[in-house]
Amino acid sequence: MSDLSLLCEELKVLIVDTLALEDVTASEVETDALLFGGGLDLDSIDALEIAMAIEEKYGVVLGDDPDVNQKIFMSVRTLAEFVSGSLED
C-alpha cells in the first residue's frame, strides 16, 4: 500500500472519529467520493472540525482561501494529497 493510500485510510478514521459518525465506519468511506454535496454530505462546521483535527495530528494548517479549501476538501484523496504535499514542504 502506498504512502498516499495509508494516509487516506488514516484520514478516513480521523473524519469518522472527529465527527463522531455513528452510522458510518472508516472502511465505508470512499476515497474519491465527494465529502460535500454527496458521499458523507458534510457541512462547513464539519470542515472546520476536520481542519482542526488535521492541524492537531499533522501540524498542517489550511489557508483562508475558500476556493482553495473547497478543492482540498473535495474528497479524502484530495485531503490526503494536500496533507502529504504540506508535510513534504
Side-chain angles (χ1 to χ4, degrees):
M1 190 176 279
S2 73
D3 289 345
L4 190 62
S5 293
L6 290 172
L7 184 54
C8 285
E9 297 307 312
E10 284 181 18
L11 287 171
K12 290 175 185 183
V13 171
L14 181 131
I15 290 168
V16 169
D17 290 350
T18 298
L19 302 179
L21 300 177
E22 296 177 2
D23 298 334
V24 179
T25 64
S27 63
E28 294 173 324
V29 176
E30 295 181 32
T31 303
D32 294 309
L34 294 176
L35 294 176
F36 298 88
L40 293 179
D41 198 24
L42 304 180
D43 61 28
S44 59
I45 301 298
D46 296 330
L48 180 59
E49 289 183 44
I50 294 167
M52 291 177 5
I54 288 172
E55 181 177 354
E56 183 177 312
K57 180 165 183 155
Y58 300 103
V60 173
V61 180
L62 282 90
D64 294 329
D65 187 329
D67 293 331
V68 171
N69 290 339
Q70 183 177 10
K71 290 176 184 172
I72 291 169
F73 275 91
M74 189 175 304
S75 68
V76 171
R77 183 178 311 281
T78 57
L79 264 176
E81 290 168 347
F82 170 75
V83 170
S84 177
S86 297
L87 293 174
E88 292 173 0
D89 292 342

